[in-house]
Amino acid sequence: MAVLLEHESQIFLDLFHQDGLVICARGLGIDRLLLRFLRLYCEPASLVLVLNTSPAEEEYFIDQLRSDGVVHLPRRVTNEITNNTRYEFYTQGGVIFATSRILVVDFLTDRIPANLITGILVYKAHRIIESCQEAFILRLYRQKNKQGFIKAFTDNAVAFNTGFCHVERVMRNLFVRKLYLWPRFHIAVNSFLEKHKPEVVEIHVSMTPAMLAIQTSILDILNACLRELKRYNPALEVEDLSLENAIGKPFDKTIRHYLDPLWHQLGAKTKSLVQDLKILRTLLLYLTQYDCVTFLNLLESLKASEKAFGENSGWLFLDSSTSMFVNARARVYRIADEKLNQKGKVSEKSDVKKENELKRELVLESNPKWEALREVLKEIENENKNSEDLGGPGQVLICASDDRACAQLREYIIAGAEAFLTRLYNKTFGKDEKAGEVWITDRKAIKSKGNSRPDTGPQAKKAKLMASSKQNKHKKQQDRTIIQMMGKTEEEKREELEVEDNKELSSSQESSIEETIPEDFPMNLPSDCYYGIFKNPLTIIHPLQGCSDPYALTRVLHEVEPRYVVLYDAELTFVRQLEIYKASRPGKPLRVYFLIYGGSTEEQRYLTALRKEKEAFEKLIREKASMVIPEEREGRDETNLDLVRDAKPASVSTDTRKAGGQEQKNVQQTVIVDMREFRSELPSLIHRRGIDIDPVTLEVGDYILTPDICVERKSISDLIGSLNNGRLYTQCISMSRYYKRPILLIEFDPNKSFSLIPRGSLHQEISSNDVTSKLTLLTLHFPKLRILWCPSPHATAELFEELKQNHPQPDAETAMAVTADSEILPESDKYNPGPQDFLLKMPGINAKNCRALMNHVKSIAELATLSKDELSKILGNAANATQLFEFIHLTYGEAVSKGKSKR
């Protein structure tokens, strides 16, 4: 295992000696810290649980520990381990990764030896809010185990910026007293990393005039959309919704945070504005990330989809929008034989007519960053030629934002800008293959303007060959919807990467390519996460995001050990990771090339992320200074009120009228809960009210409160879904059949008001397809069914406690025995359910008189022999008796004539 750095050792020792919550800056190696703790406890003598890790993270930690030669590796608890063997599994000790649902059930059923647990490590601790499963596990753990430790880690300081005293609430849920803050500007971190600085070459690439014009246009439109949004919804006049934040990544979450509570009340205009903001932010990303053809393709598809849907979002009619289209097209082609002023008009038209299409002359503007990247690679190559004193040529790692950007860079480096863009153009706007070929021959004759690299003979041939072979491979895709454009299917991505996926070019970039030697990299990395270009020196392109394994880049960094890292796209976490990487290998050279568009939204996005994290840490430092933490916070004795399981207020005095104030005998209340319900927060809140929970797998109902009361819990969306697909009907049949008091509990969020009928569908006539109609029919059909509306899980827990008062406790065995097919009725096995249902369908019989009739009559055959007088005596109502008697005895002819005489 890599030796911990100075500041990391200090964090480790602080946390080791006293439990607490560590908040680190992004990229400062919170995973290295957790790994060190895992390494410490990987032995049978201790039992340590790790909460809040994803399967990919668990895989990474286990791999790292395996490579360090740890004998007792961490184990995972999954559904595959049966209930009866689980206790043994835990008692074998070591580190255990388990999902929160399994752990909650195991704590409640004592399948886990709580008193033997050495401690709990909590990863991504910023997510521990009061009602989540992890907080429930920590509470159960602290109630049963007062000695064990709780250590929590997170690197997301910005998450603590929302809400009032967020960090204090999280610490309360974690039962920790200490807060350790380690920002990047911490004196220990800063002074240590300053000593081991990598050599950084910042290259501020200037955008082309057309790109700058497009960026200005998009920002204008974004600003206009934000102003419009605030005009329609004055509640959104907040500083969070500024233009600076609109270009940042977390903006989608921010706007959802403000609009979610009133989403159903918003008009179509506001909703389309929110959608427009999303599209405009995608355009901004595409502008700096990808090439001119991809950007134009997205723009044209937006225009086409607007036509198809026949509704325009307004921004397409702004002047800025027109200038954006003109500039985007000018980057790809210009219309030949037309004067400039006419060209403007032609491009402004939404459709370029076919005769003009033939006159297109391709411009295909190269991406400025590509040129900068080529210069950087040339410089690295020249240095590698004279690198004997450094021990041979250095490896190169190029980092771009995602798969698509990586694929484009790879093809650009191998084939050159012209060939790549031509292939892309022919594939995207496939009608103009002839124009593309003409263009290549023209360009060979005319010298390159320096906008793209002049091709040497064999390379040009190779490029043409590749472009044509790609055309054949790809079907022409002219019409693509926005959705297809924004999220390419995996297959297509793979196809794009097929260029020369398993062949590395043995020669360096500038020499002519004579042959390709198929040679594999000596690396055991997942195939989807890196694209190799050159074998000697090893050059690898890797995406910063979008890998299935969150640690893919970290693995590559430590396995390849590059001497040169080219950051094609800036990402804060990885920049910090490189600092740590350099510091952990003192004496070994590392040069980082930082490519960024000067004065672009990309640069602004990076700086905003930096500023936000700094502000978040400053706020946390202020909060820490004024935080008051009670002595009993850790819950190691009985004085912590968070561990008390009782909802009764302290002011309740003993009632002296009950036999001289004697203490009444209290029966421990129990609720039977279905296993699947542990995804919700309700079981945690019920348990907190002092009610025991019995987790079992139920077929009928979600909660059994008493032997008679069965509850089916639905959220609003569940309710609408199960009313529409008929599932709720069958659930109500089962509940009504086996329990005296079936209850349908509908939970809604008071902050998010809802309506069962959308505003637009309020008609004069009530339709039978409306949700309200279906709910009414349900109540008519099941007279025993009670509907409870609860504004929150807290209210539900309180309601459950009140419903249980003075009632016997339910039995888990009986509840489990009730299935949808069981014939025996728990309430009484007197009646056969089939004929009972048939009887209720007959006219004149309802839920009230049905019992009386069944008590007097043994079978339907006997019912047919009764006279009208006998029926009216049993049913207690002459009208009902007449209805039933006529239904049984009236012939078809008599019924028809009776109907006519009524008319």
Side-chain angles (χ1 to χ4, degrees), residues 737 823 825 828-838 854:
R737 177 160 291 166
E823 282 298 318
L825 301 179
S828 72
D829 43 14
K830 253 199 282 191
Y831 310 118
N832 190 351
Q836 185 179 343
D837 287 346
F838 178 71
M854 287 194 289

Side-chain angles (χ1 to χ4, degrees), residues 35 49 76 96 164 348 379 381 404 503 627 858:
L35 256 175
L49 305 176
R76 292 170 171 176
I96 286 176
F164 177 68
E348 276 173 39
E379 185 184 310
E381 189 190 4
R404 195 179 195 168
K503 297 182 182 174
M627 206 183 278
K858 283 181 185 163

